[in-house]
Amino acid sequence: MSVRRLAEARLQPASFAFNETNAAAAQQWIAKYPKGREQSAIIPLLMLAQEQEGWVTKAAIETICDMLEMPRIRGLEVATFYTQYQLNPVGTRAHIQVCGTTPCMLRGSEALMDVCRSKIHHDQFHTNADGTLSWEEVECLGACVNAPMVMIFKDTFEDLTPERLAEIIDLYEAGKGAEVKPGPQNGRTGSEPASGLTTLKSEKAILKSTRDKEAKAAAKAAKEAAAAAAPAAVPAAVVSQAPAAPVPSGPVGPSKSSKPKTDAPETSPALTTPSPVKVSPATEKAASVRPPRHSAANANQASPEVEAVSKPRSGPKNKAEPAAAFKSPETKQPAAKTARPSLDDENRPAGIERPSAVDDLKLISGVGPKIEGILHSLGIYTFAQVASWKKAEREWVDGYLNFRGRIERDDWVNQAKALAKGGVEEYIRVFGKKPV
């Protein structure tokens, strides 16, 4: 995957804010996630920002991270990872994404890219002179059977030719993009074969209702034909006889006249499922063999015929499992939640009154707006305070924040020492990167 970076600083707006409609939509998205998991809403919120601004700006990422109380680096990781987010300005009327994977490439997507190069800009992610159009090559867009295809915003245009794509680009440039009907552009419906249907041309073979209707029509026609072929007059002697039994119209089942009648369960009508002969529960219970009465002593008695000994069997002894035995994560008991250390503990770092100049503790990796607020409530306002923490004090803060060793992993003390000594410049010199 290519490296994705934010747009240059000269292109970035100074601030970002959701409009009234998108602000309400953002709150609806956040409410869909359980308490403590609201940060998962960053993906739909970034999409809302892109739909509002046309692309994802640095200010939008930072604003959304602050809304979700998450470190801004996490938001940058999401925005730069997923290619659905446009990190540079795109065309205001159309941003054309041309599928360049194997099926579309075999069907002529390279010619579609040549059209974009000639009508928009030679290079991807660049707008035309008016800033209304832009384009890029993307991976599979999921309509391989209708290749080649492009996507403009949320609409797909399939079965394209270079000439048809040029017409679509002209319509969008003229502000008439709404007139272009999405979907296949060669007249076919959906994803049916280009030459027309070759299979499943009739529903007769797959719909039971259709087959039943045909069977009834055939039976009716056969009955009418039989009635037409019958003699018109019937002799009186025949009329005086008893009427013949009606001939069943449906299929005739096998006769049971030759089936032997025995007392075996296999021929008992009461055991047939479904049984035409029903027996009462009392009769069935009387004919059944009652189970023996349970006896724990008899159940534990060895059988002399089998084990050649007459004594109770000893039950299995459960051996103690070695402490180092592997246990799957599903069978492990969750660790007991440690109690939060007391505020009166002697290892609590000393706090100070809020000074007039407060250091930005969020420059320390691992400290977000929420953690900074907790540290302020403990009287921690400066980098020098964090840099002076001893091991016992670090363990107290780690337990109070329920971090489970995060302070040591992120090396808060050395970060704070660098920031207290020379600010961001000293931090870059020590760690080789900017603080987040």
Side-chain angles (χ1 to χ4, degrees):
M1 181 182 292
S2 61
V3 177
R4 288 166 48 82
R5 302 186 185 280
L6 300 182
E8 299 176 7
R10 62 183 179 82
L11 301 175
Q12 298 285 353
S15 61
F16 169 82
F18 282 119
N19 58 34
E20 185 176 352
T21 302
N22 286 337
Q27 293 303 321
Q28 290 178 353
W29 275 108
I30 295 173
K32 293 182 179 181
Y33 296 90
K35 187 175 182 180
R37 304 293 183 184
E38 294 88 352
Q39 294 180 2
S40 300
I42 187 171
I43 289 181
L45 263 59
L46 287 175
M47 285 302 298
L48 283 177
Q50 178 167 287
E51 292 173 1
Q52 176 177 309
E53 303 295 315
W55 59 294
V56 177
T57 65
K58 181 181 179 182
I61 298 172
E62 294 175 348
T63 301
I64 292 172
C65 288
D66 293 343
M67 285 177 59
L68 300 176
E69 296 184 355
M70 62 188 298
R72 292 178 176 180
I73 184 61
R74 304 297 181 220
L76 290 168
E77 289 171 351
V78 173
T80 56
F81 179 82
Y82 293 106
T83 56
Q84 68 191 35
Y85 300 121
Q86 301 297 331
L87 303 182
N88 286 273
V90 297
T92 56
R93 294 180 180 173
H95 178 68
I96 302 172
Q97 295 177 304
V98 185
C99 178
T101 43
T102 305
C104 284
M105 186 64 71
L106 293 175
R107 295 281 294 167
S109 64
E110 188 62 41
L112 302 184
M113 296 181 203
D114 290 338
V115 173
C116 293
R117 293 186 183 99
S118 63
K119 298 188 74 67
I120 301 175
H121 196 281
H122 181 270
D123 299 320
Q124 303 180 45
F125 303 106
H126 287 74
T127 61
N128 59 354
D130 297 331
T132 56
L133 302 173
S134 58
W135 74 281
E136 67 170 310
E137 178 185 355
V138 297
E139 297 303 316
C140 184
L141 291 173
C144 306
V145 72
N146 297 77
M149 66 167 298
V150 303
M151 177 180 283
I152 303 178
F153 299 124
K154 294 184 178 180
D155 293 325
T156 60
F157 302 88
E158 305 136 24
D159 292 315
L160 287 169
T161 61
E163 295 76 18
R164 178 55 182 160
L165 178 59
E167 295 174 359
I168 293 175
I169 292 175
D170 290 340
L171 288 171
Y172 270 96
E173 187 174 14
K176 301 178 180 179
E179 300 178 5
V180 185
K181 184 180 179 181
Q185 300 296 305
N186 62 349
R188 69 164 154 176
T189 302
S191 299
E192 68 180 12
S195 58
L197 291 176
T198 58
T199 59
L200 300 178
K201 293 184 178 181
S202 172
E203 296 181 346
K204 294 179 181 179
I206 59 175
L207 294 180
K208 183 177 183 300
S209 59
T210 305
R211 297 196 302 271
D212 291 345
K213 186 183 295 184
E214 291 181 348
K216 289 180 180 178
K220 183 178 180 181
K223 186 176 181 180
E224 293 175 352
V234 181
V238 177
V239 174
S240 61
Q241 296 178 2
V247 179
S249 59
V252 180
S255 173
K256 296 183 180 180
S257 59
S258 61
K259 190 173 183 179
K261 296 181 179 180
T262 67
D263 293 333
E266 290 79 6
T267 60
S268 173
L271 302 182
T272 305
T273 305
S275 173
V277 180
K278 303 299 180 183
V279 296
S280 65
T283 305
E284 185 177 358
K285 186 176 181 180
S288 302
V289 179
R290 294 187 178 183
R293 183 172 296 177
H294 176 71
S295 172
N298 291 339
N300 196 39
Q301 188 69 28
S303 175
E305 295 82 1
V306 177
E307 303 181 23
V309 64
S310 179
K311 65 177 183 179
R313 295 175 294 181
S314 58
K317 295 182 179 179
N318 295 328
K319 296 182 179 181
E321 190 177 49
F326 172 78
K327 293 183 179 179
S328 64
E330 292 81 4
T331 60
K332 290 182 179 179
Q333 295 295 330
K337 199 170 183 179
T338 57
R340 204 176 196 184
S342 172
L343 292 174
D344 299 327
D345 194 291
E346 62 180 3
N347 293 322
R348 173 185 172 180
I352 62 174
E353 294 293 333
R354 184 182 182 93
S356 57
V358 177
D359 290 338
D360 186 3
L361 298 181
K362 295 190 297 297
L363 292 176
I364 299 176
S365 177
V367 178
K370 185 175 181 179
I371 301 301
E372 184 183 44
I374 297 175
L375 293 176
H376 287 175
S377 68
L378 297 174
I380 309 299
Y381 296 99
T382 65
F383 297 130
Q385 288 179 274
V386 179
S388 64
W389 287 350
K390 304 300 182 185
K391 183 177 180 181
E393 294 173 323
R394 296 197 297 270
E395 291 177 350
W396 186 93
V397 177
D398 195 90
Y400 189 80
L401 298 176
N402 196 21
F403 269 4
R404 301 180 182 179
R406 181 173 175 181
I407 292 178
E408 297 293 342
R409 290 196 304 271
D410 289 348
D411 200 4
W412 281 20
V413 171
N414 285 330
Q415 288 188 68
K417 285 180 179 179
L419 291 167
K421 182 179 179 180
V424 175
E425 292 76 10
E426 179 66 14
Y427 189 100
I428 297 173
R429 188 190 69 81
V430 174
F431 295 99
K433 62 179 183 179
K434 293 181 178 180
V436 295

